[in-house]
Every structure is written in structure tokens, then in C-alpha cells.
Amino acid sequence: EAGVAQSPRYKIIEKRQSVAFWCNPISGHATLYWYQQILGQGPKLLIQFQNNGVVDDSQLPKDRFSAERLKGVDSTLKIQPAKLEDSAVYLCASRLTPGQGRDTQYFGPGTRLTVL
Amino acid sequence: DQQVKQNSPSLSVQEGRISILNCDYTNSMFDYFLWYKKYPAEGPTFLISISSIKDKNEDGRFTVFLNKSAKHLSLHIVPSQPGDSAVYFCAASGNNYGQNFVFGPGTRLSVLP
């Protein structure tokens, strides 16, 4: 079974530029998450999708971050414009069904973003 | 306000000895807890979980203990191996449908040969 795919793996941009990350979850997984992991901290949930609908985006900085999951499969996370404090690893995770088998959340390798 | 705390940023243990990683939480609504392991340049991978109806769960060399009254859990690795060197995250979740995980900041474990 293929895992969660993310690209790019690394990205360096200057502040005020835009950036986009892509995630392809495990086939058949209805739930998709984007996390932000700042150095020295644990992953923090940004947004949760159930199929192509948003379930929880309470911690997404909506003035600069946006995410979509068209057709309920792949997802993109965008930052526009980027700030220095956005430097972090952005992790995508997927789960077959929320609330069942709560340990089955699979993470991708992440995208390391550096904002200069 | 950190709801899940891992007060030891790092831990070093000799190969073959026991590693004990600790985690504290503040939200009494949490009832499901997990440990994830993370190697550099990889995403976290699930290691072991425990429900609040239990106080212990064991899987091979890994055992998680839960003390609900103290809002404390710990992960024991016996015996520790160099391949266990990684960052370990504690995560907690409530029982409501779709409630998500809150992660601790992680503890970096180094197992010395």
C-alpha cells in the first residue's frame, strides 16, 4: 500500500512570496489533515477535510493560509503572503474514517518550508 | 496553553537499558492517547495507543502506562536499541466523533551503543 505522498520536500522562499504544498493521501482515505510543525514543537492541526468538505479549520490563519481538497482526493495548502514565522514542516496525514481506529492516522514525510 | 506536555526535550539511554518517556495532559476530556515516533526527514509513525479504560497496554518492547488521576502517561521501551533513537510525540484525543489529536512537543531519545 502506497503511503501519503507530499511535494515538494523542501522549499525556500522570501517573505511576502507565495507557496503551495501538495498532498496525495492513501487511496480510499476519507479524512485528510494538514499540520504545521515548528521546530521544537509538536504538530499543530491546521485543517481537517472529510472527503472534500472542511470539518475543522479553527486553527488555520485564514488571512494568509488556504487549503482545498477538490474531488475529495488530493489536497493543496497555500500560503500567501508568507511570513518568517511560517518556517516549519508542513505535514499531511490521512485516515480511513474519523472516530474509528483512532490510531490509524498516517503521515506523509512533510514539506520543510524556510522563509527568509 | 499547552494541553499536552513532554517536559523532557531529550533523553539518553544506554543500549539494553530501559527508556522511560513521560507525558502529562491537562484536559480531563482526553480519553485516548497515542505515541508517535519520528525519524529525521520522515513523518511521524504510530507506535502504540491506550484508551482511558485501561491503565496499561503492551506491544513487544513497548509499554504505555496511564495514570488518569495524575493525568500522566509514560512510554517504556525495554530493552532499548540504537534503532529506537528518534523523537517521540505523545498525542491525546477526546471521545467525540472526529475530535482530533493534540500533540506534545516531543522528546528526543538517543540510545547509545
Short mmCIF file of all heavy atoms in Angstrom, two decimals, chain A residues 7-8 52-53 62 64 66 71 95 103 108-109:
data_model
loop_
_atom_site.label_atom_id
_atom_site.label_comp_id
_atom_site.label_asym_id
_atom_site.label_seq_id
_atom_site.Cartn_x
_atom_site.Cartn_y
_atom_site.Cartn_z
N SER A 7 4.66 16.84 -1.78
CA SER A 7 5.70 17.53 -2.54
C SER A 7 5.45 19.03 -2.47
O SER A 7 4.31 19.47 -2.26
CB SER A 7 5.70 17.07 -4.01
OG SER A 7 4.52 17.50 -4.67
N PRO A 8 6.51 19.84 -2.59
CA PRO A 8 7.90 19.39 -2.61
C PRO A 8 8.35 18.96 -1.22
O PRO A 8 7.62 19.11 -0.26
CB PRO A 8 8.63 20.67 -3.06
CG PRO A 8 7.81 21.78 -2.47
CD PRO A 8 6.38 21.31 -2.58
N ASN A 52 -14.36 16.08 0.50
CA ASN A 52 -13.93 17.38 0.02
C ASN A 52 -14.49 18.53 0.85
O ASN A 52 -14.40 19.69 0.46
CB ASN A 52 -14.28 17.56 -1.46
CG ASN A 52 -15.78 17.46 -1.69
OD1 ASN A 52 -16.52 17.07 -0.80
ND2 ASN A 52 -16.22 17.82 -2.88
N GLY A 53 -15.06 18.21 2.01
CA GLY A 53 -15.59 19.24 2.89
C GLY A 53 -14.69 19.50 4.08
O GLY A 53 -14.03 18.59 4.59
N LYS A 62 -6.54 32.22 8.37
CA LYS A 62 -7.24 32.34 7.10
C LYS A 62 -6.90 33.61 6.33
O LYS A 62 -7.24 33.73 5.14
CB LYS A 62 -8.75 32.27 7.33
CG LYS A 62 -9.20 30.94 7.94
CD LYS A 62 -10.69 30.92 8.15
CE LYS A 62 -11.12 29.69 8.93
NZ LYS A 62 -10.53 29.62 10.29
N ARG A 64 -3.98 34.34 5.48
CA ARG A 64 -2.87 34.06 4.59
C ARG A 64 -2.81 32.61 4.14
O ARG A 64 -2.16 32.29 3.15
CB ARG A 64 -1.55 34.40 5.29
CG ARG A 64 -1.41 35.88 5.64
CD ARG A 64 -0.05 36.19 6.24
NE ARG A 64 0.20 35.43 7.46
CZ ARG A 64 1.03 34.42 7.53
NH1 ARG A 64 1.69 34.01 6.45
NH2 ARG A 64 1.22 33.79 8.69
N SER A 66 -4.67 29.04 2.90
CA SER A 66 -5.87 28.46 2.31
C SER A 66 -5.59 27.02 1.93
O SER A 66 -4.43 26.64 1.69
CB SER A 66 -6.34 29.25 1.09
OG SER A 66 -5.36 29.18 0.06
N LYS A 71 -12.45 17.18 -5.33
CA LYS A 71 -12.77 15.79 -5.67
C LYS A 71 -12.48 14.83 -4.52
O LYS A 71 -12.48 13.61 -4.71
CB LYS A 71 -12.03 15.33 -6.93
CG LYS A 71 -12.35 16.17 -8.16
CD LYS A 71 -11.59 15.70 -9.38
CE LYS A 71 -11.88 16.58 -10.58
NZ LYS A 71 -11.13 16.19 -11.79
N ARG A 95 -6.57 9.44 7.12
CA ARG A 95 -7.18 8.42 7.96
C ARG A 95 -8.38 7.87 7.22
O ARG A 95 -9.08 8.61 6.54
CB ARG A 95 -7.60 9.06 9.27
CG ARG A 95 -8.32 8.16 10.24
CD ARG A 95 -8.95 9.00 11.31
NE ARG A 95 -8.04 9.23 12.41
CZ ARG A 95 -8.33 10.04 13.43
NH1 ARG A 95 -9.46 10.68 13.48
NH2 ARG A 95 -7.47 10.20 14.41
N ASP A 103 -6.05 5.22 15.99
CA ASP A 103 -4.61 5.19 15.83
C ASP A 103 -4.19 5.13 14.37
O ASP A 103 -3.03 5.18 14.06
CB ASP A 103 -4.02 3.99 16.59
CG ASP A 103 -4.73 2.70 16.23
OD1 ASP A 103 -5.66 2.72 15.41
OD2 ASP A 103 -4.34 1.66 16.78
N GLY A 108 2.51 11.78 5.94
CA GLY A 108 3.49 11.88 4.87
C GLY A 108 4.82 12.36 5.42
O GLY A 108 4.93 12.66 6.61
N PRO A 109 5.84 12.47 4.55
CA PRO A 109 7.17 12.86 5.01
C PRO A 109 7.31 14.34 5.34
O PRO A 109 8.27 14.75 5.98
CB PRO A 109 8.06 12.49 3.83
CG PRO A 109 7.16 12.59 2.65
CD PRO A 109 5.81 12.15 3.13
#
